[in-house]
Amino acid sequence: MSDPKWDDLRVFLAVAREETLSAAGKTLKLDPATVGRRVARLETDLDAALFLKSPQGYVLTPAGQRLLDKATTVETAMLDLSGDVTDRAGALTGQIRLGAPDGAANYLLPQVCSKICADNPGLEVQLVALPRVFNLSKREADMAVTVSPPATGRLTVQKLSDYKLHLAASTSYLRSMPPLQSLQDLKAHKIIGYISDLIFDKELDYLSEIGSPKVDFASNSVSVQINWARGGAGVVIAHDFALPNAPELQKVLSDQMSLTRSFYLVRHADDRKIARLTRFAEELATHLPREIARLEART
């Protein structure tokens, strides 16, 4: 039995994470038949069955689970080797993929990441905006900004910053509707919010703070909600840091309703050893709170 090569371990990791040959092949840019042959070859080399085929796809055997732990450690080392920590001038280089909910990804992180990249010309940042929880164990991203700290998994969590949200509506909408003088008056207004069964984190259930009124316009996207409000559709609970990008909107009932939430940076525990990712995390922890403070001051 020979030690598995890194190229074989990459195939194994992709199948373990994606659970089908076709999905693993898409990740690896290989056809599914080739992926299947590579897995079979690895099982022969190791003299062990690594997967069981089930109706749900490929499921790890006990031997496969043991190899997964070792392969993840090797992957971490290879990621560290493949991305130089710094260039000769001491700047960050290489590629980093950052996941984030779409509110932060649309209104906050572009300028934060641009600042970091301006200071580090050899750095490439990929910003993945998805209205759901990221699976770091499947390497969907190198790290993720979240709205609550995860309770399970081999992850490290760092609080980045608090941020505020308020009710807001367009001037044109407010002129055409009954006066808004108290939270009770919201009953006579159109409400914009999340699709209830697509709220992926309890921290996003903002409307429960005002009695869970009926939602007239719903989306799982923050930017869609804000654009609805900009067009005069109704009242929305908006991030203060997004309001400078929506000049049509003004806060309403801010003395009666104000929410505070937090952003967290989540990383795979093994990635603490990758200096490039740690350095980027430090930059993010410095610049993101400053940008939130700058934008909130404008509202």
Side-chain angles (χ1 to χ4, degrees), residues 204-248:
L204 302 179
D205 188 14
Y206 308 137
L207 291 177
S208 64
E209 305 276 345
I210 54 174
S212 301
K214 175 181 174 294
V215 176
D216 299 280
F217 300 95
S219 175
N220 65 332
S221 167
V222 170
S223 58
V224 171
Q225 293 177 35
I226 288 178
N227 282 331
W228 254 328
R230 294 178 70 181
V235 181
V236 69
I237 297 181
H239 304 74
D240 281 16
F241 61 71
L243 293 178
N245 286 280
E248 302 89 347

Side-chain angles (χ1 to χ4, degrees), residues 11 26 47 57 74 78 82 95 114 126 131 134 138 140 191 197 218 222 233 235 239 246-247 253 262 279:
V11 175
K26 186 176 181 180
D47 192 23
V74 174
M78 294 302 296
S82 65
Q95 181 187 95
S114 294
Q126 296 180 345
F134 279 81
K138 290 189 175 183
E140 291 183 335
I191 303 298
D197 60 338
V222 170
V235 181
H239 304 74
L253 304 178
S262 303
R279 170 80 177 279

Side-chain angles (χ1 to χ4, degrees), residues 53-287:
K53 185 69 183 299
S54 77
Q56 289 73 40
Y58 279 67
V59 179
L60 287 169
T61 64
Q65 186 60 56
R66 290 192 295 272
L67 181 60
L68 178 64
D69 296 337
K70 296 178 181 179
T72 301
T73 300
V74 174
E75 180 184 45
T76 298
M78 294 302 296
L79 286 171
D80 199 14
L81 287 172
S82 65
D84 293 334
V85 177
T86 59
D87 63 14
R88 292 182 180 180
L92 276 166
T93 61
Q95 181 187 95
I96 293 176
R97 178 175 291 182
L98 176 64
D102 73 321
N106 276 289
Y107 300 106
L108 187 62
L109 287 169
Q111 55 268 38
V112 170
C113 292
S114 294
K115 167 61 177 171
I116 297 173
C117 288
D119 295 337
N120 300 273
L123 180 64
E124 176 190 341
V125 175
Q126 296 180 345
L127 183 54
V128 184
L130 289 177
R132 63 171 175 79
V133 176
F134 279 81
N135 191 329
L136 296 182
S137 66
K138 290 189 175 183
R139 295 293 176 183
E140 291 183 335
D142 294 306
M143 59 185 72
V145 174
T146 67
V147 294
S148 65
T152 60
R154 295 187 65 253
L155 304 167
T156 61
V157 182
Q158 173 185 1
K159 183 177 178 179
L160 294 173
S161 179
D162 291 334
Y163 61 94
K164 295 186 180 300
L165 305 100
H166 287 90
L167 290 163
S170 71
T171 303
S172 61
Y173 171 84
L174 293 171
R175 286 173 179 166
S176 66
M177 298 295 289
L180 257 177
Q181 299 176 337
S182 72
L183 292 177
Q184 292 298 316
D185 294 336
L186 287 171
K187 295 177 181 178
H189 286 260
K190 299 292 185 180
I191 303 298
I192 302 166
Y194 278 100
I195 302 171
S196 60
D197 60 338
L198 293 181
I199 296 176
F200 64 91
D201 192 297
K202 62 181 178 59
E203 295 296 327
L204 302 179
D205 188 14
Y206 308 137
L207 291 177
S208 64
E209 305 276 345
I210 54 174
S212 301
K214 175 181 174 294
V215 176
D216 299 280
F217 300 95
S219 175
N220 65 332
S221 167
V222 170
S223 58
V224 171
Q225 293 177 35
I226 288 178
N227 282 331
W228 254 328
R230 294 178 70 181
V235 181
V236 69
I237 297 181
H239 304 74
D240 281 16
F241 61 71
L243 293 178
N245 286 280
E248 302 89 347
L249 301 184
Q250 65 182 70
K251 292 182 186 179
V252 294
L253 304 178
S254 58
D255 58 333
Q256 300 179 44
M257 191 275 185
S258 176
L259 300 180
T260 299
R261 294 292 191 266
S262 303
F263 283 130
Y264 299 85
L265 184 64
V266 181
R267 300 171 58 188
H268 195 282
D270 292 335
D271 289 353
R272 290 176 298 178
K273 303 172 185 177
I274 302 178
R276 177 171 55 92
L277 297 182
T278 297
R279 170 80 177 279
F280 180 81
E282 291 170 351
E283 293 286 325
L284 201 61
T286 296
H287 292 293

